[in-house]
Each structure stands twice: as structure tokens, then as C-alpha cells.
């Protein structure tokens, strides 16, 4: 398979982008869906922001380096990757905090309705944020398995909150169909794009979506704890009232008024002072994704994961695939169920193949299309085949659970 992989790499239109990332020698990185790799340009840009803009410019840089405009500027660069207009996206806070703001804002727009509908097994923070609002008497959480979601959209549902690409299985929801169904039932929709942005095409405006959030540190390669993003369709801007009414979301923050008045547009989603270093790193990652283009990223992502399955087949490995077999129906990952998934994952990491484990029995491998090569994929499949055949995962050292998996 190695020869075939090398031929595919040679013909890959994205082959030169791998060199734009700092990847350690001897590592095959299949976890860009949890923490994206480091773009080479990030260190230089960070040095410039730290030494020049912070060290030299000091507080003047809020104006001279336009720090104050960074949430809007960076958000605007994310917009084309998710089918939004630049003035509909803002980079700020964490995905969790943005979920809280937008769930609460959506509930305020739906008097007489309290139900937030989602699915069991959605990413925990999404479910916990609904529960947090429920504890305050503001929401009522309703969880329904994905096959029955459309049928559960009744007149009590204020908001449908779904993760577009499921973090564990990689299964993709039909955004257009579910957004339509929600609107027909009088509900609003909030999409969590954490595992979509920078990996597969998303058309928020084409689908008529109301709200969206997503992470900056996965396929956007913004670095650990990078700022997240929030999207609100333009038609909702005027009515949008979010609960974290901090001064940066004020119409005139530097008027220092005692009374809150929301800024126009998505700016009102801001809360406190923007994290400039994090935004600067995120901007580099987004510019790289934008330069490659989402269609090319998605095409390579599908080709990589399909090639991985072919390699496993040819190596005679039979694993229980929990991701959809159709690459159009999944994000940029393949997840396999195995009772010893944790130990297998650790054995792979010991061989330099970094994927991850999701409790209780999922081995999850992400194929970040900007920097994973076909050769990586062939070698990773070979390692997995060997780990399974030799039973190497049974070693005691691979069973000890780390704090972060
Ligand atoms: C679907 C999804 N939503 C939200 C989050 C978390 O967001 P935060 O950055 O707030 O931890 C993650 C991953 O951590 C995720 O996979
Ligand atoms: N955000 C993470 C973190 O701070 C530590 C470890 C992992 C993460 C993740 O992003 C997990 C990820 N959202 C997932 O899909 O499982």
C-alpha cells in the first residue's frame, strides 16, 4: 500500500500544505479533530504580536494594531468556511460560553416556548448548557434519539440544538432538512460546528440556519484553548438579547455608561476583553484553511478516510466501524468500536500514531486534510493491523488511564 500511498501523495493538489505545519518527526498525527497541528507561521506571528504589538506598542496597539477589531476580523475570515456573511460571525469566548449565550438568546426570542430539543449523546457541554439554563427555570431539556428528532418538533420546542458532525461517530446531520423541519414547527436552530468548520462544507445561510457556534482549536488550527466563534443570521441581529451583557458587547464601551445598550449586529455577542494572543494564533490557522479552500479540504478528507478503510481491508483487519460507511455522511474522522479501544489507542500512540479514545469503547482517528498524507494513512493502518495481530495492546502499561483522553 505504501507505493500506492506515495503515488497518491504525488498527485495530491494539497501535498505542499503539509510543509506549512510543524509536525514532529516520527509522529503520525490523527487527532487534529481534537487539537489541530501548529502552522509554521504561527510562531512568527505570535512573536510579532508579543514583542512588537504588546512589547513596543503597549496599550496603543488596541488602535494601531487594531486589536479592538480582531473578534470581527477573525470572525469574518471564518464566515466563508461555514456559508455565512462576514458580519454574521464573531470570534470570542469558548464554544461552551457561546452556546450559553445563544441558547439563552434564542429562548428569549420564543415567548411561551421553553423546550430545547437535542439528542442524548450530544457533546456533553451542549447538554450541560441546556441543563444549566433549565436549573435557572429558563429552559426545559428534551433529548430524543436522532432518528426521531424531526417527529419531536412540536409547538413547545423553542430551539433545536444539534452538533452537525457527531464528535464520537462522525455522523453528519442533514442541516438543510432539519433546519426546515424546525422552522415549520416554529422552532429556531443552533448548530454546533466544532467538528465541521474547516473539515467539511457548511452552508448556514443556504440552509436558513439561525445560530451556530464552533471551536477554533480543531480543524481551524488555532491552538489549545483558541477562541471559539459564534454565528447569528443577520435577520436576528436586532432582536438578539444575550445574557452575558459585558462591556465589550456595549454599543459604546468607551462611553463608560452605567447602563447597558447592546452593540449593533454580532458585536453584541462579545462579553469581555478579547484574548489578543489567542485570536492572533487563530487568525493564522484560519487564513491557511481559507487559502486551501473548504471544497479541496473536504475532498481530501474523504479520500484519506476511504483510503484508510481500503488499507485496513487489504491488511485483513475487521473492525466495527461506527462512523457512516458513506464518506458523504460523515465528517473527517473514522471511529471504530472495540472493547479494548483504550489499550489499542495507547499501543498506537507508543508507536507514534496519535489518535484518541472516547469512552467507553471508541477508537477515533481524525484525518485533518491540510496536513495528513496518504503515506501517513497507509502507515497508520499497518500499525493498527500489527497492534491487533500481535496483541501488543495487552501490555499492562497500555491500560493505565490518563486524566485527559
Ligand atoms: C461538539 C463540541 N462542542 C463543544 C466542545 C467544547 O467546547 P469548549 O471549547 O468550550 O471546551 C467540543 C470539544 O471540546 C465539541 O466537540
Ligand atoms: N477541548 C479539549 C480539551 O481541552 C482537552 C482534551 C480534549 C478536548 C477536546 O476538544 C475534545 C473534543 N471536543 C472531542 O471531540 O472529544
Amino acid at each position: 500500500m505504501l507505493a500506492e500511498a506515495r503515488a497518491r501523495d504525488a498527485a495530491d493538489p494539497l501535498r505542499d500544505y503539509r510543509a506549512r505545519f510543524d509536525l514532529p518527526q516520527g509522529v503520525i498525527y490523527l487527532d487534529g479533530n481534537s487539537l489541530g497541528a501548529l502552522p509554521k507561521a504561527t510562531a512568527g506571528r505570535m512573536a510579532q504580536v508579543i514583542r512588537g504589538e504588546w512589547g513596543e506598542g503597549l496599550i496603543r496597539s488596541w488602535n494601531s494594531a487594531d486589536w479592538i477589531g480582531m473578534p470581527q476580523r477573525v470572525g469574518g475570515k471564518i464566515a466563508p468556511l461555514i456559508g455565512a456573511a462576514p458580519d454574521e460571525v464573531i470570534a470570542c469566548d469558548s464554544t461552551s460560553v457561546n452556546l450559553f449565550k445563544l441558547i439563552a438568546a434564542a429562548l428569549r426570542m420564543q415567548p411561551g416556548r421553553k423546550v430545547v430539543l437535542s439528542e442524548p449523546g450530544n457533546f456533553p457541554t451542549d447538554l450541560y448548557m441546556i441543563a444549566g439554563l433549565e436549573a435557572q427555570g429558563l429552559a426545559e431539556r428534551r433529548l430524543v434519539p436522532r432518528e426521531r428528532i424531526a417527529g419531536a418538533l412540536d409547538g413547545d420546542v423553542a430551539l433545536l440544538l444539534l452538533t452537525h458532525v457527531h464528535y464520537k461517530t462522525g455522523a453528519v446531520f442533514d442541516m438543510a432538512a432539519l433546519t426546515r423541519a424546525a422552522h415549520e414547527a416554529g422552532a429556531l436552530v443552533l448548530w454546533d460546528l466544532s467538528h465541521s468548520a474547516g473539515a467539511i462544507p457548511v452552508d448556514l445561510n443556504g440552509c436558513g440556519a439561525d445560530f451556530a457556534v464552533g471551536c477554533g482549536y480543531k480543524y481551524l488550527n488555532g491552538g489549545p484553548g483558541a477562541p471559539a466563534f459564534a454565528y447569528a443570521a443577520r435577520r436576528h441581529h436586532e432582536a438578539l438579547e444575550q445574557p452575558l451583557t459585558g462591556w465589550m458587547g456595549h454599543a459604546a464601551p468607551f462611553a463608560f455608561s452605567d447602563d447597558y445598550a447592546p452593540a449593533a449586529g454580532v458585536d453584541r455577542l462579545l462579553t469581555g476583553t478579547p484574548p489578543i494572543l489567542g485570536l492572533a494564533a487563530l487568525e493564522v490557522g484560519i487564513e491557511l484553511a481559507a487559502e486551501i479552500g473548504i471544497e479541496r479540504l473536504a475532498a481530501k478528507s474523504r479520500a484519506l478516510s476511504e483510503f484508510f478503510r481500503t488499507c485496513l481491508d487489504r491488511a485483513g483487519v475487521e473492525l466495527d466501524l461506527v462512523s457512516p460507511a458513506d464518506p458523504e455522511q460523515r465528517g473527517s474522522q473514522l471511529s471504530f468500536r472495540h472493547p479494548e479501544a483504550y489499550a489499542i489507542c495507547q499501543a498506537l500512540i507508543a508507536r507514534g500514531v496519535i489518535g484518541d479514545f472516547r469512552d467507553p469503547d471508541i477508537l477515533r482517528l481524525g484525518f485533518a486534510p491540510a496536513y495528513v498524507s496518504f503515506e501517513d494513512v497507509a502507515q497508520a493502518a499497518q500499525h493498527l493491523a500489527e497492534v491487533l495481530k500481535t496483541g501488543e495492546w495487552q501490555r499492562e502499561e497500555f491500560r493505565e488511564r490518563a486524566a485527559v483522553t
Side-chain angles (χ1 to χ4, degrees), residues 33-34 94-97 99 122-123 125-126 163 165-167 192-195 213 215-218 225-226 228 364:
N33 48 325
S34 202
S94 63
T95 304
S96 302
V97 171
L99 279 166
N122 191 356
F123 192 78
T125 212
D126 300 57
T163 297
V165 174
H166 194 274
Y167 78 104
D192 184 336
L193 303 179
S194 292
H195 291 265
V213 296
C215 293
Y217 49 74
K218 299 179 189 292
R364 186 175 69 160

